[in-house]
């Protein structure tokens, strides 16, 4: 019996340390088209051209030995190396995932092939900070995603205490700001055709 080899390879890597960088030979596989990383940002040049990328980044404060782990410059460098990317998922914590040091003079990263963007956003739902200081507008102003046609937006509770206090039944205080930024008359996605919104939920149905 002949076994046909699958022509496309999907790779899921979940690491909390730099041990992932020891897999650079595997990551350069010419058939790799999809990758999912948790708590690491691969260096530019490690990956072949992908069509789908998932990045889950926890609060950098959980990594006391490396407070600059999630520098936005690292993320921009990775995305800049993926011009053929079509499906991008980002998950991060507003108050702890990124450091924006050194991005003042950064040029916008163009991602013309991205058609589907999924954003999983944790925190700042209590309105303690102004929207301008939120990581969402600060990050996306550095990305050119004007060709996105479908946007999936999931707002997670800021902490487990939100469930205990009943906050999951309330509208996030920054929701209007988000919608205006992404969907307004001069919104971030001028070619948007499909929008999905879910907040204060742990169900994986998106």
């Amino acid at each position: 019996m002949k076994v046909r080899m699958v022509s496309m390879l999907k790779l899921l890597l979940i690491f909390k340390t730099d041990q992932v960088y020891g897999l650079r030979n595997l990551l350069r596989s010419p058939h790799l088209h999809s990758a999912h990383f948790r708590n690491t940002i691969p260096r530019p040049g490690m990956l072949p051209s992908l069509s789908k990328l998932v990045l889950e980044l926890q609060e950098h404060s959980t990594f006391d030995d490396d407070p600059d782990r999630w520098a936005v410059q690292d993320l921009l460098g990775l995305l800049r190396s993926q011009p053929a990317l079509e499906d991008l998922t980002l998950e991060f914590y507003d108050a702890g995932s990124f450091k924006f040091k050194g991005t003042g003079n950064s040029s916008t990263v163009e991602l013309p092939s991205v058609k589907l963007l999924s954003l999983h956003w944790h925190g700042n739902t209590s309105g303690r900070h102004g929207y301008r200081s939120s990581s969402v507008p600060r990050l996306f102003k550095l990305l050119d995603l004007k060709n996105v046609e479908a946007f999936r937006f999931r707002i997670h509770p800021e902490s487990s205490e939100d469930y205990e206090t009943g906050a999951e039944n309330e509208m996030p205080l920054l929701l209007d700001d988000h919608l205006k930024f992404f969907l307004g008359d001069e919104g971030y996605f001028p070619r948007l055709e499909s929008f999905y919104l879910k907040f204060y939920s742990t169900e994986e149905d998106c």
Side-chain angles (χ1 to χ4, degrees):
M1 181 178 65
K2 295 182 178 180
V3 179
R4 187 178 66 172
M5 298 299 292
V6 177
S7 60
M8 294 188 299
L9 173 67
K10 180 176 181 181
L11 178 65
L12 171 62
L13 293 176
I14 301 178
F15 286 92
K16 293 186 178 181
T17 70
D18 287 339
Q19 60 183 307
V20 66
Y21 297 124
L23 299 178
R24 55 176 54 89
N25 291 325
L26 173 61
L27 295 176
R28 287 172 178 163
S29 167
H31 300 293
L32 185 68
H33 77 101
S34 176
H36 183 155
F37 293 92
R38 182 178 298 166
N39 297 336
T40 192
I41 299 179
R43 297 172 184 142
M46 283 186 57
L47 295 172
S49 183
L50 300 173
S51 60
K52 181 176 181 179
L53 175 64
V54 179
L55 289 175
E56 297 181 44
L57 303 176
Q58 293 182 358
E59 297 177 88
H60 74 71
S61 59
T62 61
F63 302 93
D64 296 331
D65 59 328
D66 192 0
D68 294 323
R69 180 178 289 270
W70 311 135
V72 167
Q73 289 286 16
D74 293 341
L75 175 62
L76 297 180
L78 171 62
L79 295 178
R80 191 176 286 111
S81 70
Q82 297 295 323
L85 197 62
E86 299 176 1
D87 184 343
L88 173 62
T89 297
L90 294 174
E91 178 170 356
F92 58 87
Y93 289 73
D94 194 270
S97 288
F98 293 127
K99 298 198 76 172
F100 287 87
K101 182 179 180 180
T103 60
N105 297 320
S106 298
S107 59
T108 301
V109 176
E110 296 186 6
L111 296 167
S113 298
V114 174
K115 297 295 190 294
L116 170 61
L117 174 69
S118 298
L119 174 60
H120 295 236
W121 181 70
H122 297 255
N124 206 0
T125 53
S126 63
R128 287 195 294 269
H129 307 287
Y131 191 67
R132 290 184 178 181
S133 64
S134 166
S135 293
V136 173
R138 295 180 70 189
L139 173 61
F140 282 92
K141 285 179 180 178
L142 297 171
L143 303 175
D144 185 345
L145 291 160
K146 60 177 177 291
N147 292 326
V148 165
E149 297 175 354
F151 176 42
R152 294 184 173 185
F153 189 21
R154 182 187 293 273
I155 300 176
H156 294 267
E158 190 167 14
S159 66
S160 59
E161 286 77 14
D162 287 342
Y163 287 116
E164 298 174 2
T165 60
E168 72 274 15
N169 297 317
E170 302 175 2
M171 295 286 284
L173 295 180
L174 293 179
L175 182 58
D176 287 344
D177 296 292
H178 282 306
L179 298 184
K180 182 178 180 180
F181 178 76
F182 288 116
L183 310 177
D185 293 338
E186 299 180 359
Y188 188 76
F189 301 121
R191 294 179 173 84
L192 193 67
E193 298 178 1
S194 175
F195 175 55
Y196 174 96
L197 171 67
K198 193 174 186 67
F199 56 88
Y200 293 166
S201 175
T202 58
E203 297 178 4
E204 294 300 328
D205 56 0
C206 173

